[in-house]
């Protein structure tokens, strides 16, 4: 498992800040790139809020959407399209 960015980029004491290992940076960057590529490869989209997602109903079949910063925390996350249940809207991935 790749270390979290908060661990890799942790600040040390002001006299001797922590220097991230390049191998950790490469592993984290590769993990992040593969995650974002998988969303894009599935015709996925990224939205700031669930309202913005629901306002955009021009989704490709079986696409994914990522809600990032909705004020209702439970609305954030990766959501798959579910036309049968939500009539063109994306339903929460569970």
């Amino acid at each position: 498992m790749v270390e979290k960015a908060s661990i890799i980029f942790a600040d040390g004491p002001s006299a001797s800040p922590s220097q991230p290992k390049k191998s950790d940076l490469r592993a984290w960057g590769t993990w992040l790139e593969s995650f974002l590529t998988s969303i894009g490869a599935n015709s996925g989209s990224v939205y700031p809020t669930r309202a913005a997602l629901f306002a955009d109903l021009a989704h490709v079949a079986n696409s994914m959407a990522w809600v990032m910063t909705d004020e209702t925390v439970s609305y954030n996350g990766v959501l798959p399209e579910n036309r049968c249940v939500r009539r063109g809207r994306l339903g929460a991935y569970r």
Side-chain angles (χ1 to χ4, degrees):
M1 179 70 184
V2 175
E3 289 284 352
K4 292 182 178 182
S6 61
I7 302 287
I8 294 172
F9 297 105
D11 293 334
S14 60
S16 178
S18 175
Q19 296 294 320
K21 289 192 238 175
K22 289 190 180 201
S23 60
D24 289 345
L25 292 172
R26 283 190 297 271
W28 180 78
T30 300
W31 170 82
L32 182 60
E33 289 170 353
S34 68
F35 180 72
L36 294 175
T37 299
S38 69
I39 289 176
N42 194 20
S43 301
S45 302
V46 178
Y47 297 90
T49 64
R50 189 174 80 159
L53 165 65
F54 283 179
D56 177 13
L57 294 177
H59 304 294
V60 177
N62 300 317
S63 62
M64 302 291 281
W66 189 4
V67 176
M68 298 291 298
T69 56
D70 199 287
E71 288 181 9
T72 304
V73 176
S74 63
Y75 293 164
N76 295 322
V78 179
L79 305 138
E81 182 179 28
N82 188 342
R83 290 187 189 271
C84 298
V85 176
R86 306 283 303 233
R87 295 183 185 176
R89 294 194 175 184
L90 291 145
Y93 181 75
R94 303 228 186 262

